[in-house]
Amino acid sequence: MAQAKDENFPVASHVLSPRHRRHLLAVYGFARLVDDIGDEAEGDRLAQLDAVEADVRRIYDHRDPDLAVLRPLRATVDEVALPPDPLIALIEANRQDQRVRRYKTYEDLVGYCRLSADPVGRIVLYVFGKADDRRFVWSDRICTALQIVEHLQDVAEDLGKDRIYLPTEDMARFGVAEDDLREPTAGPHLRKLVAFEAGRADNLLRAGLPLIDSLHGRERLAVAGFVAGGRAALSAIAAADHDVLGRRPRPGKAGLLRELVRVLARKR
């Protein structure tokens, strides 16, 4: 839980009401557990993920889960009418991480984001009491964009886990080989590829902006903060001349605030 304040989705942000923070922290405990199993657990990760899914199913059977970190989730499920689908999708994303190490096409990568990222935004909308099909479309675009941005920031780290989230057909198109990702700094071909994928993420963020306009008060400010974080990260990547290998491009607080102001002040 101590990690929550540092996440791309700032679930512990005091912008949110205490009730919203309580529910999002309950979901965060689940999501952090699932991600840690998928990335770091010793032994049979798939079996451990199966055990977590069984515990989630207990909640929907109106029983307390065995894992202590999941127990606050039961109240959240009941109070915000959260369906099981987004929770199960996050588990499935981590199952996929055990089986799939490369993505051939951009469409394949977006399919992964539908499991690993889009459910997070949908959960947030349920917590806000603003879940509907129209908002889901906008939220999915924002969340997919944020996932792509994170993949761009983490190229070197992901490669250390034998995972590459740059589509292989795009790598071939730009003349980038896997060995290029092992260099201490990015070469010109990789920089062009990163710029191309960053442009896709930026377009998705823009396409999701109507979600902000559909919300009010703290909820609007929180979602604007998510979008501003993605835009600030893209600016940091551009400022590094799209070299994502030398060091992880991260936005500073000034950059985040600047983007937040721009998002909120834009004409609807």
Side-chain angles (χ1 to χ4, degrees):
M1 290 303 181
Q3 300 176 54
K5 65 181 183 299
D6 298 322
E7 292 291 328
N8 285 351
F9 290 88
V11 295
S13 171
H14 288 282
V15 167
L16 299 168
S17 70
R19 182 177 68 87
H20 288 160
R21 287 203 305 274
R22 174 168 58 86
H23 290 318
L24 291 177
L25 282 168
V27 174
Y28 176 80
F30 156 79
R32 183 74 272 162
L33 171 67
V34 170
D35 282 352
D36 285 351
I37 291 173
D39 289 341
E40 301 173 9
E42 300 290 337
D44 189 337
R45 294 179 181 178
L46 291 175
Q48 292 176 61
L49 291 169
D50 288 346
V52 174
E53 179 174 345
D55 229 15
V56 170
R57 301 286 185 188
R58 288 186 185 93
I59 294 173
Y60 288 92
D61 288 337
H62 307 289
R63 294 184 290 155
D64 286 331
D66 291 338
L67 294 165
V69 73
L70 296 192
R71 288 172 193 159
L73 192 60
R74 181 172 179 181
T76 293
V77 166
D78 291 341
E79 291 178 31
V80 308
L82 179 64
D85 294 358
L87 300 175
I88 301 305
L90 293 174
I91 296 173
E92 186 58 33
N94 281 272
R95 289 194 181 105
Q96 186 162 313
D97 276 335
Q98 311 313 307
R99 303 188 298 263
V100 181
R101 303 286 179 170
R102 309 289 188 273
Y103 289 87
K104 181 178 180 181
T105 68
Y106 175 71
E107 289 71 25
D108 292 339
L109 181 63
V110 169
Y112 170 71
C113 293
R114 291 192 188 103
L115 298 173
S116 66
D118 297 1
V120 177
R122 294 185 177 215
I123 290 169
V124 170
L125 289 174
Y126 275 105
V127 169
F128 288 171
K130 298 295 190 297
D132 60 48
D133 290 341
R134 180 183 58 140
R135 290 190 177 99
F136 285 160
V137 171
W138 297 325
S139 174
D140 289 351
R141 291 167 181 166
I142 291 170
C143 291
T144 293
L146 294 177
Q147 181 76 87
I148 291 172
V149 171
E150 186 172 358
H151 288 329
L152 294 177
Q153 291 175 302
D154 292 342
V155 167
E157 179 181 339
D158 290 334
L159 186 64
K161 301 172 185 175
D162 191 30
R163 295 175 185 163
I164 297 176
Y165 295 101
L166 297 168
T168 55
E169 71 173 14
D170 292 346
M171 290 175 64
R173 173 183 171 187
F174 282 88
V176 176
E178 288 194 13
D179 285 345
D180 296 328
L181 307 183
R182 299 184 174 90
E183 297 295 329
T185 59
H189 296 296
L190 177 55
R191 291 175 194 241
K192 289 178 182 179
L193 171 58
V194 170
F196 175 73
E197 304 297 351
R200 281 174 157 169
D202 185 55
N203 288 337
L204 283 170
L205 285 175
R206 293 176 188 276
L209 286 174
L211 177 62
I212 298 171
D213 302 335
S214 77
L215 302 171
H216 302 280
R218 292 185 177 192
E219 296 161 1
R220 179 172 183 263
L221 184 57
V223 173
F226 299 157
V227 174
R231 289 170 56 143
L234 287 172
S235 294
I237 291 171
D241 195 18
H242 300 97
D243 179 7
V244 293
L245 300 183
R247 62 181 179 85
R248 190 180 194 270
R250 296 180 64 93
K253 291 183 179 179
L256 286 168
L257 181 58
R258 183 167 54 250
E259 291 295 343
L260 179 59
V261 170
R262 287 174 177 169
V263 168
L264 291 173
R266 80 187 206 290
K267 293 182 179 180
R268 302 190 187 189

